Amino acid sequence: MNTADEITPEMPHRADVEENGVYDESPPPHYTPRTLIMTILASMGGLIFGFDVGQISGFLAMSNFRQRFGEYDPVTGLYHFSNVRAGLIVGLLAIGNLFGALIAAPIANRFGRRRSISAWCIVCVIGVVIQISSDDKWYQIVVGRFIGGLGIGALSILVPLYVSESAPTHFRGTAVSFFQLLITLGILVANIINFGTESIQSSASWRITMGISFLWPLILCFGMVFLPESPKYMFRQNRKVEAREVMAKFLGVSQNHSTVAKESREMEQKLNEEEAGGDRPWYEIFTGPRMAYRTLLGIALMSFQQLTGANFFFYYGTVIFGATGMDNPFVIQIILGTVNVVCTIPGLWMIEKFGRRPCLILGAAWMCMCFLVFASVGHFALDQQDPERTPEAGAAMIVFACLFIAAFASTWGPMVWGVTADLYPARYRAVCMSLAIGSNWSWVFMIAFFTPFITSAIDYRYGYVFAACCAAAAVTVHFFVIEPKGRTMEEVDNMYLARVKPWQSIYWTAPVMDDGARADSGITADESGAAADDSAAAAKELESPEPDENTMTAAGNAEEEWESQAQYV
């Protein structure tokens, strides 16, 4: 603790910090109970989505659900779902997700993250009501899933956005990745409930599971009432005192802590620079400085999360496990779901221990290898007419299916949400995340709808397509994604503006602020004048030492006003 005067009880307030020159340099705790509660509660949005995915996969195999909403085959005397009807029932959720993701951003920017999350939870509940009240109209199920998808798609934007803007820097990656952990947990919980109800010979077999899905959005809706608004959103709404208070509480420190002062100062710098530039049109998510690069990168990363082919394994789970004599699809889903949940947990530790880049690159390479083996064994060794005649091939496919899920669950499953949330400056973050996650939902629909048709034409060779996508994902991360580990979102923004080479980004060092600047949680008069001058001038060079201690420099060129964001005043 550095002090110029005697410490008094009022010193945590900014006015006293400025007057007495006091700031706390003690290291903040890695996490606090308040931060954990915020992370778990907000991530219930992931549980809502995961539970829906798990329940619908079980419903399609339930006899009562098929009798009510399927098609009758006079030849076999059985009810079944055609590829088109099954694709619409499963895939229309993703279409709703897409539209929900696209319209969530402007609403969240106007009314705030916290209120928007609660409102979209109500939309999820409405979707469940429409579905559970249907007796025999399959299109009513489709409409209900579309409306519920609007809410789930919006939550897939708002939850990572809220958590990334609220969690401390050193815990941000883990906190955002919790969203994926809750998705996997929701899938597993739904699978277990389906396993317990599938033998009931009435609509209760699926209505019990669907009724339980009311619980998750209600918990999130009312739980958000007790959580504060995102500090970064409050700061941009000129509620700076409240923002510092919330930031300090999540950090577990007093308001005069140097970390609170540093991050407040960075946010105010960015806000001043944006205000100096005036209002900007929406299309500057493509024309702003380095924004086309980041917008397209976010879309690519979220697309690759689906194009890795994770859902392909869940779709083929019944056939694969049937090759070893396990013919109960509900048991199969529980096995896959358990692997998914268990392997997501170490990913929450790996993201802060090793960083995003190495985990994503190695994870994509691992998944590529698994798909190459899986597709080759499935096409060349498995007896597709009678899989039980080739149990060795089936066993090998099971092993590599589980290895794939382990790789996905510990890397691309949870980490991409955090990387995407870190890509953008505050001005564009909500809109850019809407586009990125909207692309994810687009691929969810296309894979869910077209996979039955593709696999009927090329069987397990479909896996080679996903293997190529995994390889492309690894290359994309290596050449285009900057490592955000341990950095504030403002620092990550500066690194992209400074054109730091992604493969050297781990060595980049932010310019060091002096004690006076660090103690000040705002912008001084001199600094404010400098910022105004700099916003109309070329950006200063940022330095980034390479492994050989040479210096990487990047100077702004054409967009002088915007490139001033790349410097620390």
Side-chain angles (χ1 to χ4, degrees):
M1 174 81 74
N2 299 325
T3 178
D5 299 294
E6 182 181 355
I7 300 177
T8 66
E10 290 76 27
M11 289 217 174
H13 296 288
R14 183 178 181 226
D16 296 313
V17 173
E18 293 175 342
E19 178 181 349
N20 297 293
V22 179
Y23 54 91
D24 183 358
E25 292 284 2
S26 61
H30 186 65
Y31 60 85
T32 64
R34 189 187 302 271
T35 304
L36 281 179
I37 292 173
M38 178 273 294
T39 300
I40 295 172
L41 183 57
S43 296
M44 289 291 292
L47 186 67
I48 296 170
F49 171 56
F51 193 85
D52 190 277
V53 171
Q55 71 175 8
I56 197 62
S57 64
F59 291 170
L60 295 178
M62 292 180 179
S63 58
N64 184 271
F65 195 83
R66 288 199 305 268
Q67 291 171 10
R68 288 173 178 269
F69 306 110
E71 299 171 79
Y72 180 72
D73 187 345
V75 177
T76 62
L78 300 175
Y79 287 88
H80 73 288
F81 288 101
S82 66
N83 287 339
V84 173
R85 185 170 297 190
L88 289 174
I89 290 176
V90 175
L92 257 292
L93 176 81
I95 296 298
N97 295 155
L98 171 61
F99 284 101
L102 293 177
I103 63 179
I107 295 175
N109 285 339
R110 181 174 179 82
F111 298 103
R113 282 54 163 148
R114 186 171 65 99
R115 291 179 180 176
S116 297
I117 289 174
S118 294
W120 286 110
C121 287
I122 302 301
V123 176
C124 292
V125 171
I126 294 173
V128 176
V129 170
I130 294 174
Q131 293 178 72
I132 203 170
S133 61
S134 178
D135 284 327
D136 55 8
K137 303 296 188 296
W138 70 272
Y139 47 83
Q140 184 173 337
I141 296 291
V142 169
V143 171
R145 287 180 59 76
F146 174 79
I147 293 176
L150 291 174
I152 293 173
L155 293 176
S156 71
I157 296 289
L158 299 177
V159 169
L161 181 64
Y162 174 81
V163 174
S164 67
E165 291 184 345
S166 302
T169 298
H170 55 271
F171 189 65
R172 188 176 69 243
T174 299
V176 176
S177 298
F178 242 83
F179 182 75
Q180 178 67 23
L181 176 62
L182 269 289
I183 290 177
T184 63
L185 184 60
I187 294 173
L188 178 59
V189 170
N191 290 337
I192 293 173
I193 296 174
N194 280 340
F195 177 71
T197 63
E198 58 99 8
S199 60
I200 300 175
Q201 299 302 311
S202 70
S203 64
S205 60
W206 53 274
R207 280 194 165 120
I208 289 175
T209 309
M210 191 177 288
I212 293 175
S213 65
F214 276 113
L215 182 63
W216 320 126
L218 291 177
I219 291 176
L220 178 57
C221 179
F222 292 108
M224 290 303 297
V225 174
F226 301 98
L227 292 179
E229 180 56 88
S230 151
K232 291 185 184 294
Y233 176 80
M234 287 194 291
F235 208 94
R236 295 178 64 81
Q237 300 299 309
N238 205 31
R239 296 160 57 187
K240 299 178 182 179
V241 174
E242 295 176 74
R244 294 186 186 96
E245 291 175 353
V246 172
M247 197 185 310
K249 289 178 180 178
F250 281 136
L251 277 165
V253 298
S254 60
Q255 291 183 51
N256 70 322
H257 196 277
S258 60
T259 303
V260 176
K262 174 179 177 291
E263 294 193 16
S264 297
R265 182 175 181 273
E266 289 176 354
M267 286 190 291
E268 188 148 3
Q269 276 187 240
K270 291 294 182 183
L271 185 59
N272 287 346
E273 290 165 359
E274 291 175 7
E275 289 177 346
D279 292 333
R280 298 286 178 171
W282 68 269
Y283 55 77
E284 283 202 346
I285 61 174
F286 296 104
T287 61
R290 299 288 281 171
M291 283 309 302
Y293 177 102
R294 287 187 273 181
T295 300
L296 295 177
L297 178 58
I299 291 173
L301 291 174
M302 293 307 300
S303 296
F304 278 130
Q305 191 194 44
Q306 287 302 316
L307 291 172
T308 56
N311 289 333
F312 178 83
F313 279 101
F314 285 93
Y315 182 84
Y316 266 101
T318 302
V319 176
I320 298 168
F321 282 82
T324 62
M326 297 181 62
D327 56 2
N328 188 326
F330 296 94
V331 173
I332 294 166
Q333 293 297 325
I334 290 174
I335 292 173
L336 294 177
T338 300
V339 173
N340 205 13
V341 172
V342 171
C343 292
T344 301
I345 295 173
L348 304 182
W349 171 77
M350 290 163 54
I351 191 171
E352 297 297 351
K353 177 66 175 179
F354 303 110
R356 284 68 154 169
R357 280 175 49 84
C359 291
L360 290 175
I361 292 172
L362 292 176
W366 183 349
M367 291 186 291
C368 177
M369 179 272 297
C370 290
F371 250 125
L372 289 174
V373 175
F374 176 86
S376 299
V377 173
H379 180 68
F380 295 107
L382 183 71
D383 186 339
Q384 297 184 32
Q385 300 302 319
D386 187 7
E388 294 187 2
R389 295 180 57 187
T390 52
E392 295 83 2
M397 296 176 73
I398 292 169
V399 169
F400 280 93
C402 291
L403 288 175
F404 173 91
I405 292 171
F408 177 82
S410 58
T411 58
W412 278 82
M415 294 185 187
V416 172
W417 297 100
V419 172
T420 305
D422 290 338
L423 277 176
Y424 315 109
R427 178 193 288 267
Y428 308 116
R429 188 172 297 128
V431 176
C432 288
M433 285 187 67
S434 290
L435 286 179
I437 298 178
S439 69
N440 183 286
W441 293 124
S442 298
W443 285 108
V444 169
F445 171 76
M446 286 188 282
I447 291 173
F449 187 82
F450 291 110
T451 288
F453 300 97
I454 296 174
T455 53
S456 64
I458 61 174
D459 61 68
Y460 291 100
R461 286 173 291 181
Y462 194 23
Y464 293 130
V465 176
F466 292 123
C469 290
C470 290
V475 172
T476 299
V477 172
H478 176 73
F479 286 105
F480 299 104
V481 176
I482 283 177
E483 177 58 66
K485 175 189 172 186
R487 304 188 187 278
T488 65
M489 301 177 89
E490 288 72 26
E491 286 176 327
V492 175
D493 181 30
N494 286 339
M495 293 171 73
Y496 278 106
L497 288 169
R499 302 176 186 271
V500 174
K501 292 182 175 63
W503 54 92
Q504 296 173 330
S505 58
I506 190 66
Y507 305 104
W508 185 80
T509 303
V512 179
M513 293 180 290
D514 58 31
D515 290 346
R518 186 171 51 209
D520 182 18
S521 58
I523 302 290
T524 65
D526 292 339
E527 291 170 332
S528 179
D533 293 337
D534 289 339
S535 67
K540 294 181 180 179
E541 292 183 342
L542 283 175
E543 296 184 350
S544 176
E546 297 181 14
D548 60 0
E549 298 185 359
N550 291 329
T551 305
M552 295 189 307
T553 61
N557 40 35
E559 298 161 315
E560 295 179 345
E561 178 179 335
W562 287 94
E563 289 281 44
S564 67
Q565 298 182 52
Q567 64 180 303
Y568 287 83
V569 179

